[in-house]
Amino acid sequence: MAQAPLKVAVVGCGNIGNRHAAGYLATGKTELVGVADPVKDRADGYAAKYGSTAYGSAKELLAEQQPDLVSVPTPPGSHAEVALEVLATGASVLLEKPPVLNLAEMDALAEAEAANGGSVYVIFQHRHGSGAQRAHRLLSAGDLGTPRVAVCETLWFRPRSYFDPDWRGTWVGEGGGPTLGHGIHQVDLLLHLLGPWKTLTATAVRLDRPVQFEDVSLATVIFESGAVGTVINSLLSPDELSRIRIDTDGGSLEVDHLYGYSDADWKFHPAPDAARAATFGLNPGERGADGSASVAATDPWTASAGEDAPSNHQAQISRLVDDLLAGRTHETTLASTRPTMEFVSALYASALTGSPVDRADLVPGHPFYAALNGGVGQDAIDKAMIIT
Ligand SMILES: NC(=O)c1ccc[n+]([C@@H]2O[C@H](COP(=O)([O-])OP(=O)(O)OC[C@H]3O[C@@H](n4cnc5c(N)ncnc54)[C@H](O)[C@@H]3O)[C@@H](O)[C@H]2O)c1
């Protein structure tokens, strides 16, 4: 007997909502029972385009339909509120990044998950391409060596006009700058690959854009493993780039892309084989004329190559639908994204207080637990972030 489709709904019929609706349809394993947006034309447009019923809000949709899973690609400031409404019905939620605006919201959602039976998952599509899946597997098994040094760069460009919509550029609507809204993809992948961080020290500055927060942030981070790294998030970089590099004692692993990678964007440079190099009379870092003296012919990265699955919404949504239909927990749970939100919270805390922040400090009662601006007044934020 054919399996019943997963009943899904999309709340938020804007730009990214299309990737959710199209992603579900492409699986051929879902029924889109409703779409909702307070802007009627948008909900009607989605209903016509994807074959569903339009509603004006999550509440209206949930009063008539019983979805198993509800996507929430609304502006970040509304994620927690909508997710709580969905969880109260017992359904599960797929939140867009950033999942929430602060750790207090994240813990409220975790409590609602525990109380109602539904689960919260988060779109971090870059965990789901074949490159990251391989990197995670090999690094976790120690097959690429012990990580020592990491570099994580989100050098993007958003013109001043990007901040025209009311919700952008404000702590209330957007929640934060590139640290929260843009670099979070790369930071999440870095933490997914390297494990928990321990301490960070950061700077956040507003150099040009009409926002209440930063347009560039920088952090140095120490991981629990003892590895160290640097992170930069910028919206002022015309030649855009997203890059993570992890140097282990076995080699350098690097992914270099923009908004999504395929296998060709990953490369691994094995550490020089010191013993072989010595027999050629070379320094370990040098190559012989044929390039073979210091670099092994095959390495764990090259040997693990398989099917190339690019990182995009489709990759994660297909996996999520399969997991839920099979009764499995999907890998990108809300809880698995907590270290990422802790990193973001700590970056603002360190930048605005001028002191290093330990992950262990970010408990209820810490000023940056309940708000990424730490309750600091806007004048003081401006003073801290604007270089004079
Ligand atoms: N994963 C990614 O690569 C990626 C890329 C861009 C944006 N995003 C995220 O997707 C989300 C949406 O971004 P967007 O660019 O599509 O924004 P958008 O403004 O194009 O769309 C948001 C839609 O949500 C609707 N909306 C607002 N409040 C609502 C509510 N309470 N209930 C129902 N609908 C509501 C708006 O009317 C609008 O149609 C954000 O969280 C953003 O950070 C993710």
PDB file of all heavy atoms in Angstrom, residues 11-17 19 36-39 42 56-58 72-76 78-79 82 96-98 123 125-126 167-168 181 185 313, ligand 1:
ATOM      1  N   VAL A  11       3.788  29.071   5.961  1.00  0.00           N
ATOM      2  CA  VAL A  11       3.323  30.338   6.534  1.00  0.00           C
ATOM      3  C   VAL A  11       4.384  31.392   6.220  1.00  0.00           C
ATOM      4  O   VAL A  11       5.519  31.297   6.715  1.00  0.00           O
ATOM      5  CB  VAL A  11       3.118  30.199   8.060  1.00  0.00           C
ATOM      6  CG1 VAL A  11       2.811  31.562   8.681  1.00  0.00           C
ATOM      7  CG2 VAL A  11       1.991  29.216   8.348  1.00  0.00           C
ATOM      8  N   GLY A  12       4.024  32.360   5.368  1.00  0.00           N
ATOM      9  CA  GLY A  12       4.994  33.350   4.900  1.00  0.00           C
ATOM     10  C   GLY A  12       5.232  33.133   3.413  1.00  0.00           C
ATOM     11  O   GLY A  12       6.033  32.285   3.017  1.00  0.00           O
ATOM     12  N   CYS A  13       4.473  33.880   2.581  1.00  0.00           N
ATOM     13  CA  CYS A  13       4.519  33.639   1.127  1.00  0.00           C
ATOM     14  C   CYS A  13       5.358  34.713   0.425  1.00  0.00           C
ATOM     15  O   CYS A  13       4.878  35.385  -0.499  1.00  0.00           O
ATOM     16  CB  CYS A  13       3.103  33.593   0.567  1.00  0.00           C
ATOM     17  SG  CYS A  13       2.061  32.365   1.372  1.00  0.00           S
ATOM     18  N   GLY A  14       6.572  34.902   0.888  1.00  0.00           N
ATOM     19  CA  GLY A  14       7.464  35.881   0.264  1.00  0.00           C
ATOM     20  C   GLY A  14       8.473  35.199  -0.625  1.00  0.00           C
ATOM     21  O   GLY A  14       8.197  34.159  -1.228  1.00  0.00           O
ATOM     22  N   ASN A  15       9.660  35.759  -0.648  1.00  0.00           N
ATOM     23  CA  ASN A  15      10.722  35.285  -1.513  1.00  0.00           C
ATOM     24  C   ASN A  15      11.128  33.838  -1.204  1.00  0.00           C
ATOM     25  O   ASN A  15      10.995  32.946  -2.044  1.00  0.00           O
ATOM     26  CB  ASN A  15      11.907  36.277  -1.321  1.00  0.00           C
ATOM     27  CG  ASN A  15      13.102  35.920  -2.133  1.00  0.00           C
ATOM     28  OD1 ASN A  15      12.986  35.256  -3.158  1.00  0.00           O
ATOM     29  ND2 ASN A  15      14.267  36.336  -1.672  1.00  0.00           N
ATOM     30  N   ILE A  16      11.583  33.589   0.019  1.00  0.00           N
ATOM     31  CA  ILE A  16      12.143  32.269   0.350  1.00  0.00           C
ATOM     32  C   ILE A  16      11.062  31.202   0.541  1.00  0.00           C
ATOM     33  O   ILE A  16      11.322  30.004   0.378  1.00  0.00           O
ATOM     34  CB  ILE A  16      13.040  32.398   1.603  1.00  0.00           C
ATOM     35  CG1 ILE A  16      14.276  33.228   1.255  1.00  0.00           C
ATOM     36  CG2 ILE A  16      13.456  31.046   2.168  1.00  0.00           C
ATOM     37  CD1 ILE A  16      15.165  32.633   0.177  1.00  0.00           C
ATOM     38  N   GLY A  17       9.846  31.627   0.845  1.00  0.00           N
ATOM     39  CA  GLY A  17       8.744  30.663   0.947  1.00  0.00           C
ATOM     40  C   GLY A  17       8.612  29.829  -0.322  1.00  0.00           C
ATOM     41  O   GLY A  17       8.219  28.655  -0.274  1.00  0.00           O
ATOM     42  N   ARG A  19      10.938  28.548  -2.031  1.00  0.00           N
ATOM     43  CA  ARG A  19      11.847  27.386  -1.992  1.00  0.00           C
ATOM     44  C   ARG A  19      11.261  26.281  -1.128  1.00  0.00           C
ATOM     45  O   ARG A  19      11.537  25.108  -1.348  1.00  0.00           O
ATOM     46  CB  ARG A  19      13.213  27.794  -1.454  1.00  0.00           C
ATOM     47  CG  ARG A  19      13.816  28.896  -2.284  1.00  0.00           C
ATOM     48  CD  ARG A  19      15.315  28.835  -2.315  1.00  0.00           C
ATOM     49  NE  ARG A  19      15.800  30.109  -2.808  1.00  0.00           N
ATOM     50  CZ  ARG A  19      16.918  30.686  -2.436  1.00  0.00           C
ATOM     51  NH1 ARG A  19      17.692  30.095  -1.560  1.00  0.00           N
ATOM     52  NH2 ARG A  19      17.271  31.855  -2.934  1.00  0.00           N
ATOM     53  N   ALA A  36      -0.186  30.649   4.019  1.00  0.00           N
ATOM     54  CA  ALA A  36      -0.739  31.804   4.739  1.00  0.00           C
ATOM     55  C   ALA A  36       0.186  32.997   4.673  1.00  0.00           C
ATOM     56  O   ALA A  36       1.413  32.855   4.754  1.00  0.00           O
ATOM     57  CB  ALA A  36      -0.976  31.433   6.213  1.00  0.00           C
ATOM     58  N   ASP A  37      -0.429  34.164   4.512  1.00  0.00           N
ATOM     59  CA  ASP A  37       0.325  35.419   4.554  1.00  0.00           C
ATOM     60  C   ASP A  37      -0.690  36.532   4.809  1.00  0.00           C
ATOM     61  O   ASP A  37      -1.790  36.513   4.236  1.00  0.00           O
ATOM     62  CB  ASP A  37       1.032  35.662   3.198  1.00  0.00           C
ATOM     63  CG  ASP A  37       2.166  36.683   3.319  1.00  0.00           C
ATOM     64  OD1 ASP A  37       1.884  37.871   3.637  1.00  0.00           O
ATOM     65  OD2 ASP A  37       3.332  36.294   3.109  1.00  0.00           O
ATOM     66  N   PRO A  38      -0.351  37.514   5.671  1.00  0.00           N
ATOM     67  CA  PRO A  38      -1.287  38.618   5.893  1.00  0.00           C
ATOM     68  C   PRO A  38      -1.500  39.456   4.636  1.00  0.00           C
ATOM     69  O   PRO A  38      -2.512  40.149   4.521  1.00  0.00           O
ATOM     70  CB  PRO A  38      -0.624  39.441   7.004  1.00  0.00           C
ATOM     71  CG  PRO A  38       0.782  38.980   7.073  1.00  0.00           C
ATOM     72  CD  PRO A  38       0.828  37.596   6.527  1.00  0.00           C
ATOM     73  N   VAL A  39      -0.570  39.400   3.699  1.00  0.00           N
ATOM     74  CA  VAL A  39      -0.758  40.109   2.421  1.00  0.00           C
ATOM     75  C   VAL A  39      -1.515  39.155   1.492  1.00  0.00           C
ATOM     76  O   VAL A  39      -0.966  38.156   1.020  1.00  0.00           O
ATOM     77  CB  VAL A  39       0.599  40.530   1.812  1.00  0.00           C
ATOM     78  CG1 VAL A  39       0.386  41.273   0.498  1.00  0.00           C
ATOM     79  CG2 VAL A  39       1.387  41.379   2.801  1.00  0.00           C
ATOM     80  N   ARG A  42      -0.304  37.760  -1.863  1.00  0.00           N
ATOM     81  CA  ARG A  42       0.813  36.796  -1.804  1.00  0.00           C
ATOM     82  C   ARG A  42       0.288  35.398  -1.489  1.00  0.00           C
ATOM     83  O   ARG A  42       0.688  34.420  -2.125  1.00  0.00           O
ATOM     84  CB  ARG A  42       1.827  37.214  -0.749  1.00  0.00           C
ATOM     85  CG  ARG A  42       2.547  38.470  -1.145  1.00  0.00           C
ATOM     86  CD  ARG A  42       3.704  38.774  -0.213  1.00  0.00           C
ATOM     87  NE  ARG A  42       4.116  40.145  -0.451  1.00  0.00           N
ATOM     88  CZ  ARG A  42       4.706  40.926   0.435  1.00  0.00           C
ATOM     89  NH1 ARG A  42       4.977  40.476   1.641  1.00  0.00           N
ATOM     90  NH2 ARG A  42       5.032  42.164   0.135  1.00  0.00           N
ATOM     91  N   GLY A  56      -5.114  33.941   5.763  1.00  0.00           N
ATOM     92  CA  GLY A  56      -4.539  35.237   6.117  1.00  0.00           C
ATOM     93  C   GLY A  56      -3.538  35.153   7.259  1.00  0.00           C
ATOM     94  O   GLY A  56      -2.817  36.116   7.525  1.00  0.00           O
ATOM     95  N   SER A  57      -3.495  34.014   7.952  1.00  0.00           N
ATOM     96  CA  SER A  57      -2.571  33.884   9.086  1.00  0.00           C
ATOM     97  C   SER A  57      -2.399  32.407   9.421  1.00  0.00           C
ATOM     98  O   SER A  57      -3.200  31.556   8.993  1.00  0.00           O
ATOM     99  CB  SER A  57      -3.132  34.601  10.319  1.00  0.00           C
ATOM    100  OG  SER A  57      -4.290  33.917  10.769  1.00  0.00           O
ATOM    101  N   ALA A  58      -1.371  32.137  10.239  1.00  0.00           N
ATOM    102  CA  ALA A  58      -1.171  30.758  10.714  1.00  0.00           C
ATOM    103  C   ALA A  58      -2.387  30.300  11.514  1.00  0.00           C
ATOM    104  O   ALA A  58      -2.834  29.159  11.391  1.00  0.00           O
ATOM    105  CB  ALA A  58       0.088  30.695  11.580  1.00  0.00           C
ATOM    106  N   VAL A  72       8.043  27.960   8.221  1.00  0.00           N
ATOM    107  CA  VAL A  72       7.847  29.352   8.660  1.00  0.00           C
ATOM    108  C   VAL A  72       8.945  30.243   8.067  1.00  0.00           C
ATOM    109  O   VAL A  72       9.904  30.617   8.749  1.00  0.00           O
ATOM    110  CB  VAL A  72       7.820  29.445  10.204  1.00  0.00           C
ATOM    111  CG1 VAL A  72       7.505  30.876  10.653  1.00  0.00           C
ATOM    112  CG2 VAL A  72       6.786  28.481  10.782  1.00  0.00           C
ATOM    113  N   PRO A  73       8.811  30.604   6.792  1.00  0.00           N
ATOM    114  CA  PRO A  73       9.761  31.531   6.181  1.00  0.00           C
ATOM    115  C   PRO A  73       9.251  32.976   6.258  1.00  0.00           C
ATOM    116  O   PRO A  73       9.106  33.660   5.243  1.00  0.00           O
ATOM    117  CB  PRO A  73       9.845  31.028   4.731  1.00  0.00           C
ATOM    118  CG  PRO A  73       8.520  30.390   4.465  1.00  0.00           C
ATOM    119  CD  PRO A  73       7.919  29.984   5.787  1.00  0.00           C
ATOM    120  N   THR A  74       8.954  33.422   7.465  1.00  0.00           N
ATOM    121  CA  THR A  74       8.512  34.796   7.720  1.00  0.00           C
ATOM    122  C   THR A  74       9.726  35.602   8.181  1.00  0.00           C
ATOM    123  O   THR A  74      10.785  35.021   8.465  1.00  0.00           O
ATOM    124  CB  THR A  74       7.432  34.825   8.816  1.00  0.00           C
ATOM    125  OG1 THR A  74       8.014  34.268  10.009  1.00  0.00           O
ATOM    126  CG2 THR A  74       6.207  34.029   8.443  1.00  0.00           C
ATOM    127  N   PRO A  75       9.614  36.937   8.324  1.00  0.00           N
ATOM    128  CA  PRO A  75      10.738  37.699   8.874  1.00  0.00           C
ATOM    129  C   PRO A  75      11.127  37.150  10.255  1.00  0.00           C
ATOM    130  O   PRO A  75      10.253  36.686  11.016  1.00  0.00           O
ATOM    131  CB  PRO A  75      10.185  39.120   8.971  1.00  0.00           C
ATOM    132  CG  PRO A  75       9.127  39.177   7.907  1.00  0.00           C
ATOM    133  CD  PRO A  75       8.501  37.807   7.905  1.00  0.00           C
ATOM    134  N   PRO A  76      12.412  37.200  10.597  1.00  0.00           N
ATOM    135  CA  PRO A  76      12.898  36.545  11.821  1.00  0.00           C
ATOM    136  C   PRO A  76      12.159  36.965  13.092  1.00  0.00           C
ATOM    137  O   PRO A  76      11.960  36.140  13.989  1.00  0.00           O
ATOM    138  CB  PRO A  76      14.371  36.978  11.881  1.00  0.00           C
ATOM    139  CG  PRO A  76      14.740  37.273  10.469  1.00  0.00           C
ATOM    140  CD  PRO A  76      13.502  37.781   9.797  1.00  0.00           C
ATOM    141  N   SER A  78       9.182  37.291  13.692  1.00  0.00           N
ATOM    142  CA  SER A  78       7.906  36.597  13.930  1.00  0.00           C
ATOM    143  C   SER A  78       8.067  35.081  14.063  1.00  0.00           C
ATOM    144  O   SER A  78       7.090  34.368  14.313  1.00  0.00           O
ATOM    145  CB  SER A  78       6.924  36.904  12.787  1.00  0.00           C
ATOM    146  OG  SER A  78       7.516  36.601  11.542  1.00  0.00           O
ATOM    147  N   HIS A  79       9.291  34.548  13.923  1.00  0.00           N
ATOM    148  CA  HIS A  79       9.470  33.083  13.932  1.00  0.00           C
ATOM    149  C   HIS A  79       8.947  32.430  15.212  1.00  0.00           C
ATOM    150  O   HIS A  79       8.213  31.444  15.160  1.00  0.00           O
ATOM    151  CB  HIS A  79      10.956  32.723  13.770  1.00  0.00           C
ATOM    152  CG  HIS A  79      11.482  32.952  12.392  1.00  0.00           C
ATOM    153  ND1 HIS A  79      12.772  32.666  12.031  1.00  0.00           N
ATOM    154  CD2 HIS A  79      10.896  33.452  11.271  1.00  0.00           C
ATOM    155  CE1 HIS A  79      12.962  32.963  10.751  1.00  0.00           C
ATOM    156  NE2 HIS A  79      11.841  33.457  10.273  1.00  0.00           N
ATOM    157  N   VAL A  82       4.990  32.513  15.629  1.00  0.00           N
ATOM    158  CA  VAL A  82       4.294  31.588  14.723  1.00  0.00           C
ATOM    159  C   VAL A  82       4.596  30.139  15.115  1.00  0.00           C
ATOM    160  O   VAL A  82       3.706  29.287  15.151  1.00  0.00           O
ATOM    161  CB  VAL A  82       4.693  31.852  13.244  1.00  0.00           C
ATOM    162  CG1 VAL A  82       4.034  30.827  12.326  1.00  0.00           C
ATOM    163  CG2 VAL A  82       4.315  33.268  12.822  1.00  0.00           C
ATOM    164  N   GLU A  96      12.887  29.040   9.156  1.00  0.00           N
ATOM    165  CA  GLU A  96      13.995  29.577   8.364  1.00  0.00           C
ATOM    166  C   GLU A  96      15.082  30.071   9.316  1.00  0.00           C
ATOM    167  O   GLU A  96      14.847  30.303  10.499  1.00  0.00           O
ATOM    168  CB  GLU A  96      13.517  30.741   7.475  1.00  0.00           C
ATOM    169  CG  GLU A  96      13.335  30.386   6.033  1.00  0.00           C
ATOM    170  CD  GLU A  96      14.587  29.780   5.367  1.00  0.00           C
ATOM    171  OE1 GLU A  96      15.703  30.008   5.856  1.00  0.00           O
ATOM    172  OE2 GLU A  96      14.430  29.088   4.361  1.00  0.00           O
ATOM    173  N   LYS A  97      16.280  30.234   8.802  1.00  0.00           N
ATOM    174  CA  LYS A  97      17.335  30.864   9.584  1.00  0.00           C
ATOM    175  C   LYS A  97      17.081  32.359   9.619  1.00  0.00           C
ATOM    176  O   LYS A  97      16.479  32.870   8.669  1.00  0.00           O
ATOM    177  CB  LYS A  97      18.731  30.551   9.058  1.00  0.00           C
ATOM    178  CG  LYS A  97      19.021  30.858   7.594  1.00  0.00           C
ATOM    179  CD  LYS A  97      18.906  32.181   6.956  1.00  0.00           C
ATOM    180  CE  LYS A  97      19.458  33.444   7.408  1.00  0.00           C
ATOM    181  NZ  LYS A  97      19.207  34.594   6.471  1.00  0.00           N
ATOM    182  N   PRO A  98      17.488  33.121  10.602  1.00  0.00           N
ATOM    183  CA  PRO A  98      17.922  32.626  11.893  1.00  0.00           C
ATOM    184  C   PRO A  98      16.699  32.101  12.637  1.00  0.00           C
ATOM    185  O   PRO A  98      15.628  32.709  12.552  1.00  0.00           O
ATOM    186  CB  PRO A  98      18.482  33.879  12.571  1.00  0.00           C
ATOM    187  CG  PRO A  98      17.705  35.007  11.967  1.00  0.00           C
ATOM    188  CD  PRO A  98      17.421  34.603  10.561  1.00  0.00           C
ATOM    189  N   ILE A 123      16.133  25.428   8.931  1.00  0.00           N
ATOM    190  CA  ILE A 123      16.828  25.408   7.640  1.00  0.00           C
ATOM    191  C   ILE A 123      18.250  25.943   7.829  1.00  0.00           C
ATOM    192  O   ILE A 123      18.451  27.122   8.131  1.00  0.00           O
ATOM    193  CB  ILE A 123      16.095  26.276   6.583  1.00  0.00           C
ATOM    194  CG1 ILE A 123      14.858  25.565   6.053  1.00  0.00           C
ATOM    195  CG2 ILE A 123      17.027  26.633   5.421  1.00  0.00           C
ATOM    196  CD1 ILE A 123      15.098  24.509   4.989  1.00  0.00           C
ATOM    197  N   GLN A 125      20.744  24.890   5.189  1.00  0.00           N
ATOM    198  CA  GLN A 125      20.890  23.999   4.031  1.00  0.00           C
ATOM    199  C   GLN A 125      22.337  23.605   3.755  1.00  0.00           C
ATOM    200  O   GLN A 125      22.586  22.576   3.136  1.00  0.00           O
ATOM    201  CB  GLN A 125      20.245  24.626   2.785  1.00  0.00           C
ATOM    202  CG  GLN A 125      20.931  25.847   2.201  1.00  0.00           C
ATOM    203  CD  GLN A 125      20.344  27.160   2.722  1.00  0.00           C
ATOM    204  OE1 GLN A 125      19.891  27.243   3.848  1.00  0.00           O
ATOM    205  NE2 GLN A 125      20.369  28.200   1.898  1.00  0.00           N
ATOM    206  N   HIS A 126      23.292  24.421   4.273  1.00  0.00           N
ATOM    207  CA  HIS A 126      24.688  24.099   3.950  1.00  0.00           C
ATOM    208  C   HIS A 126      25.244  22.942   4.776  1.00  0.00           C
ATOM    209  O   HIS A 126      26.336  22.469   4.526  1.00  0.00           O
ATOM    210  CB  HIS A 126      25.559  25.353   4.068  1.00  0.00           C
ATOM    211  CG  HIS A 126      25.082  26.444   3.156  1.00  0.00           C
ATOM    212  ND1 HIS A 126      24.775  26.206   1.834  1.00  0.00           N
ATOM    213  CD2 HIS A 126      24.805  27.752   3.378  1.00  0.00           C
ATOM    214  CE1 HIS A 126      24.345  27.335   1.287  1.00  0.00           C
ATOM    215  NE2 HIS A 126      24.347  28.278   2.201  1.00  0.00           N
ATOM    216  N   TRP A 167      10.994  45.994   8.075  1.00  0.00           N
ATOM    217  CA  TRP A 167      11.515  45.065   9.089  1.00  0.00           C
ATOM    218  C   TRP A 167      13.026  44.954   9.053  1.00  0.00           C
ATOM    219  O   TRP A 167      13.646  44.512  10.019  1.00  0.00           O
ATOM    220  CB  TRP A 167      10.860  43.691   8.973  1.00  0.00           C
ATOM    221  CG  TRP A 167      11.074  42.922   7.699  1.00  0.00           C
ATOM    222  CD1 TRP A 167      10.365  43.045   6.541  1.00  0.00           C
ATOM    223  CD2 TRP A 167      12.049  41.891   7.451  1.00  0.00           C
ATOM    224  NE1 TRP A 167      10.829  42.169   5.593  1.00  0.00           N
ATOM    225  CE2 TRP A 167      11.860  41.443   6.121  1.00  0.00           C
ATOM    226  CE3 TRP A 167      13.050  41.296   8.196  1.00  0.00           C
ATOM    227  CZ2 TRP A 167      12.637  40.435   5.541  1.00  0.00           C
ATOM    228  CZ3 TRP A 167      13.824  40.286   7.616  1.00  0.00           C
ATOM    229  CH2 TRP A 167      13.614  39.871   6.308  1.00  0.00           C
ATOM    230  N   ARG A 168      13.658  45.381   7.940  1.00  0.00           N
ATOM    231  CA  ARG A 168      15.109  45.252   7.861  1.00  0.00           C
ATOM    232  C   ARG A 168      15.800  46.396   8.610  1.00  0.00           C
ATOM    233  O   ARG A 168      15.262  47.492   8.753  1.00  0.00           O
ATOM    234  CB  ARG A 168      15.568  45.268   6.407  1.00  0.00           C
ATOM    235  CG  ARG A 168      15.186  44.015   5.652  1.00  0.00           C
ATOM    236  CD  ARG A 168      16.200  43.742   4.557  1.00  0.00           C
ATOM    237  NE  ARG A 168      15.714  42.741   3.622  1.00  0.00           N
ATOM    238  CZ  ARG A 168      15.870  41.435   3.796  1.00  0.00           C
ATOM    239  NH1 ARG A 168      16.464  40.963   4.876  1.00  0.00           N
ATOM    240  NH2 ARG A 168      15.416  40.593   2.886  1.00  0.00           N
ATOM    241  N   GLY A 181      22.032  37.475  10.479  1.00  0.00           N
ATOM    242  CA  GLY A 181      21.209  37.223   9.295  1.00  0.00           C
ATOM    243  C   GLY A 181      21.948  36.592   8.132  1.00  0.00           C
ATOM    244  O   GLY A 181      21.328  35.982   7.269  1.00  0.00           O
ATOM    245  N   HIS A 185      24.944  31.284   8.372  1.00  0.00           N
ATOM    246  CA  HIS A 185      25.039  30.045   7.574  1.00  0.00           C
ATOM    247  C   HIS A 185      26.419  29.407   7.741  1.00  0.00           C
ATOM    248  O   HIS A 185      26.556  28.208   7.955  1.00  0.00           O
ATOM    249  CB  HIS A 185      24.876  30.363   6.082  1.00  0.00           C
ATOM    250  CG  HIS A 185      23.466  30.520   5.630  1.00  0.00           C
ATOM    251  ND1 HIS A 185      22.554  29.507   5.685  1.00  0.00           N
ATOM    252  CD2 HIS A 185      22.822  31.573   5.077  1.00  0.00           C
ATOM    253  CE1 HIS A 185      21.398  29.925   5.180  1.00  0.00           C
ATOM    254  NE2 HIS A 185      21.535  31.182   4.817  1.00  0.00           N
ATOM    255  N   HIS A 313      17.995  24.394  -0.485  1.00  0.00           N
ATOM    256  CA  HIS A 313      16.783  24.042   0.264  1.00  0.00           C
ATOM    257  C   HIS A 313      16.288  22.641  -0.096  1.00  0.00           C
ATOM    258  O   HIS A 313      15.834  21.889   0.764  1.00  0.00           O
ATOM    259  CB  HIS A 313      15.676  25.066  -0.014  1.00  0.00           C
ATOM    260  CG  HIS A 313      15.805  26.312   0.817  1.00  0.00           C
ATOM    261  ND1 HIS A 313      16.759  27.253   0.588  1.00  0.00           N
ATOM    262  CD2 HIS A 313      15.084  26.765   1.875  1.00  0.00           C
ATOM    263  CE1 HIS A 313      16.630  28.243   1.475  1.00  0.00           C
ATOM    264  NE2 HIS A 313      15.621  27.968   2.266  1.00  0.00           N
TER     265      HIS A 313
HETATM  266  N1  LIG B   1      18.043  29.920   3.955  1.00  0.00           N
HETATM  267  C1  LIG B   1      18.366  30.915   3.152  1.00  0.00           C
HETATM  268  O1  LIG B   1      19.278  30.788   2.312  1.00  0.00           O
HETATM  269  C2  LIG B   1      17.635  32.210   3.251  1.00  0.00           C
HETATM  270  C3  LIG B   1      17.866  33.226   2.317  1.00  0.00           C
HETATM  271  C4  LIG B   1      17.156  34.423   2.454  1.00  0.00           C
HETATM  272  C5  LIG B   1      16.258  34.607   3.497  1.00  0.00           C
HETATM  273  N2  LIG B   1      16.090  33.590   4.402  1.00  0.00           N
HETATM  274  C6  LIG B   1      15.162  33.753   5.549  1.00  0.00           C
HETATM  275  O2  LIG B   1      13.825  33.539   5.100  1.00  0.00           O
HETATM  276  C7  LIG B   1      12.924  34.318   5.904  1.00  0.00           C
HETATM  277  C8  LIG B   1      12.044  35.170   4.995  1.00  0.00           C
HETATM  278  O3  LIG B   1      12.850  35.985   4.204  1.00  0.00           O
HETATM  279  P1  LIG B   1      12.316  36.530   2.792  1.00  0.00           P
HETATM  280  O4  LIG B   1      13.485  37.143   2.129  1.00  0.00           O
HETATM  281  O5  LIG B   1      11.551  35.481   2.091  1.00  0.00           O
HETATM  282  O6  LIG B   1      11.338  37.704   3.287  1.00  0.00           O
HETATM  283  P2  LIG B   1      10.068  38.291   2.491  1.00  0.00           P
HETATM  284  O7  LIG B   1       9.833  39.632   3.089  1.00  0.00           O
HETATM  285  O8  LIG B   1      10.262  38.163   1.021  1.00  0.00           O
HETATM  286  O9  LIG B   1       8.876  37.292   2.893  1.00  0.00           O
HETATM  287  C9  LIG B   1       8.339  37.194   4.179  1.00  0.00           C
HETATM  288  C10 LIG B   1       6.829  36.984   4.045  1.00  0.00           C
HETATM  289  O10 LIG B   1       6.294  36.689   5.334  1.00  0.00           O
HETATM  290  C11 LIG B   1       5.045  37.382   5.460  1.00  0.00           C
HETATM  291  N3  LIG B   1       4.756  37.507   6.893  1.00  0.00           N
HETATM  292  C12 LIG B   1       5.214  38.417   7.785  1.00  0.00           C
HETATM  293  N4  LIG B   1       4.761  38.146   9.013  1.00  0.00           N
HETATM  294  C13 LIG B   1       3.975  37.049   8.905  1.00  0.00           C
HETATM  295  C14 LIG B   1       3.212  36.289   9.830  1.00  0.00           C
HETATM  296  N5  LIG B   1       3.204  36.573  11.143  1.00  0.00           N
HETATM  297  N6  LIG B   1       2.522  35.229   9.354  1.00  0.00           N
HETATM  298  C15 LIG B   1       2.541  34.912   8.045  1.00  0.00           C
HETATM  299  N7  LIG B   1       3.253  35.592   7.126  1.00  0.00           N
HETATM  300  C16 LIG B   1       3.967  36.641   7.554  1.00  0.00           C
HETATM  301  C17 LIG B   1       5.273  38.683   4.728  1.00  0.00           C
HETATM  302  O11 LIG B   1       4.049  39.313   4.368  1.00  0.00           O
HETATM  303  C18 LIG B   1       6.080  38.206   3.526  1.00  0.00           C
HETATM  304  O12 LIG B   1       5.248  37.847   2.448  1.00  0.00           O
HETATM  305  C19 LIG B   1      13.803  35.129   6.871  1.00  0.00           C
HETATM  306  O13 LIG B   1      13.911  34.444   8.095  1.00  0.00           O
HETATM  307  C20 LIG B   1      15.158  35.132   6.173  1.00  0.00           C
HETATM  308  O14 LIG B   1      16.256  35.271   7.076  1.00  0.00           O
HETATM  309  C21 LIG B   1      16.733  32.415   4.288  1.00  0.00           C
END
